[in-house]
Amino acid sequence: MKNGIYIVATPIGNMADVSERARSVLQNADVIACEDTRIAKKLFTLLGLETRKPFITLHDHNEEEHAAGILEMAKNGNSIALISDAGSPLISDPGYKLIRRCRQEGVCVYTIPGPCALICALQLSGLPTNKFMFAGFIPNKDKAREDLFNNLKGIDATLIFYETANRIVKTLKKAGEVFGNREMSVAREITKMYEECLNGTAEELICRFEKNEPRGEMVLMVSPPAEKEKPYQNAEDLLRQELAQNSLKTAVRNLVEKYGFNKNEIYELALRIKNE
């Protein structure tokens, strides 16, 4: 194998989903960089791969510290396979800082594609797939959760979030308050024996989960706003109304928070209107 960093997607539940290329890279890499060495070694055992090689941790709390060492290994001729606990690395998982430094310092990076929960969930959902936005894990605190939803509700795309089973009902209640009766979808246990994808309004999904205790890793998806909800066509009119009542700074903030507009674009538009 050539020296460098290999970003390797691993199964999200079903071991049969590992590709032959991924298996080969994992078997032949000099070093395995992973979130948790115990989980990584268990994966290798399940896949029938050799575990007698260096396994080093790379997670949120040590990425800055360990990135330099991993880069040096690659520069010294080693091949390093980067994996997450499951699925595609860097997607709401560690690795971004390492790969960015690789690009800056000329270290080769290779991608070994494979399972990704957000893509699998979107395929199952039946919601529009032509435009979608992945917003990662939903914040635990009520105010942060509400702010996130309010900032995204005007975006003309299917919204995708990761959530845990123990918080899904609380999250759906807030989603119902912010997104109203938009169709939503919750996919769980993707690729596993009890895989399912439930569709409905927030209220309907809450009823399902109150009758059947939610379990497993979950992906929450929210359909795009209906045409009458989309504010983009009249952004200038909305901004003029705000500017008639508020300062430029307040007007921009109100539109960004209420409709999810791009802050820089709205600020430039506000300056143009002010200078007319």
Side-chain angles (χ1 to χ4, degrees):
M1 286 175 62
K2 296 179 181 178
N3 68 301
I5 310 294
Y6 292 77
I7 305 170
V8 185
T10 56
I12 56 178
N14 193 319
M15 292 299 112
D17 291 335
V18 67
S19 72
E20 285 303 314
R21 186 178 175 214
R23 184 185 288 274
S24 175
V25 169
L26 294 176
Q27 182 66 60
N28 295 302
D30 297 312
V31 179
I32 307 298
C34 56
E35 290 184 80
D36 187 318
T37 58
R38 295 165 300 179
I39 293 174
K41 288 181 179 179
K42 181 179 179 181
L43 170 67
F44 271 57
T45 299
L46 290 171
L47 294 176
L49 300 176
E50 177 59 61
T51 60
R52 286 183 293 180
K53 63 175 68 187
F55 283 72
I56 58 176
T57 59
L58 186 80
H59 50 65
D60 289 333
H61 303 296
N62 71 9
E63 187 172 356
E64 287 276 10
E65 176 187 352
H66 285 197
I70 294 172
L71 283 171
E72 280 306 307
M73 291 180 196
K75 290 176 181 178
N76 290 332
N78 290 292
S79 56
I80 297 97
L82 172 65
I83 63 174
S84 61
D85 285 345
S88 295
L90 281 78
I91 308 302
S92 276
D93 276 326
Y96 156 74
K97 294 174 185 175
L98 170 63
I99 300 306
R100 185 165 181 79
R101 287 193 59 177
C102 288
R103 307 301 301 179
Q104 292 169 343
E105 299 184 28
V107 173
C108 291
V109 178
Y110 309 92
T111 179
I112 317 300
C116 181
L118 77 95
I119 298 299
C120 294
L122 182 62
Q123 291 169 328
L124 290 171
S125 71
L127 299 183
T129 59
N130 58 321
K131 287 188 289 184
F132 62 90
M133 176 181 175
F134 175 56
F137 285 96
I138 296 172
N140 187 25
K141 302 211 171 180
D142 291 340
K143 179 66 166 58
R145 184 188 294 113
E146 182 176 5
D147 288 346
L148 174 65
F149 288 165
N150 277 317
N151 287 337
L152 299 179
K153 70 179 182 180
I155 293 176
D156 184 19
T158 297
L159 303 176
I160 307 175
F161 308 90
Y162 286 164
E163 187 52 292
T164 58
N166 63 316
R167 295 206 309 250
I168 190 64
V169 171
K170 183 187 289 188
T171 290
L172 284 168
K173 287 178 180 175
K174 184 56 64 179
E177 292 174 15
V178 175
F179 298 112
N181 286 324
R182 287 196 210 174
E183 183 181 2
M184 300 182 194
S185 182
V186 175
R188 57 179 290 275
E189 295 291 86
I190 300 171
T191 77
K192 300 177 185 177
M193 183 180 296
Y194 297 107
E195 172 184 286
E196 69 174 349
C197 189
L198 306 172
N199 285 51
T201 63
E203 185 177 349
E204 290 168 342
L205 291 170
I206 290 169
C207 287
R208 295 284 291 273
F209 287 125
E210 285 179 340
K211 292 177 182 175
N212 301 284
E213 181 184 359
R215 296 176 184 273
E217 301 292 329
M218 298 195 163
V219 182
L220 169 65
M221 293 153 284
V222 181
S223 62
E227 285 298 324
K228 63 182 179 180
E229 295 181 74
K230 297 175 186 176
Y232 292 96
Q233 295 85 348
N234 61 346
E236 185 171 339
D237 292 340
L238 291 168
L239 188 51
R240 288 182 184 278
Q241 293 171 20
E242 283 286 341
L243 288 169
Q245 305 174 49
N246 300 300
S247 67
L248 185 147
K249 184 177 179 180
T250 301
V252 170
R253 186 182 68 241
N254 288 347
L255 259 69
V256 169
E257 291 180 353
K258 188 173 182 180
Y259 298 110
F261 287 125
N262 179 282
K263 183 177 181 180
N264 292 334
E265 292 177 359
I266 292 299
Y267 185 77
E268 290 178 8
L269 179 58
L271 286 176
R272 181 171 63 77
I273 293 172
K274 276 288 190 181
N275 292 329
E276 286 180 349

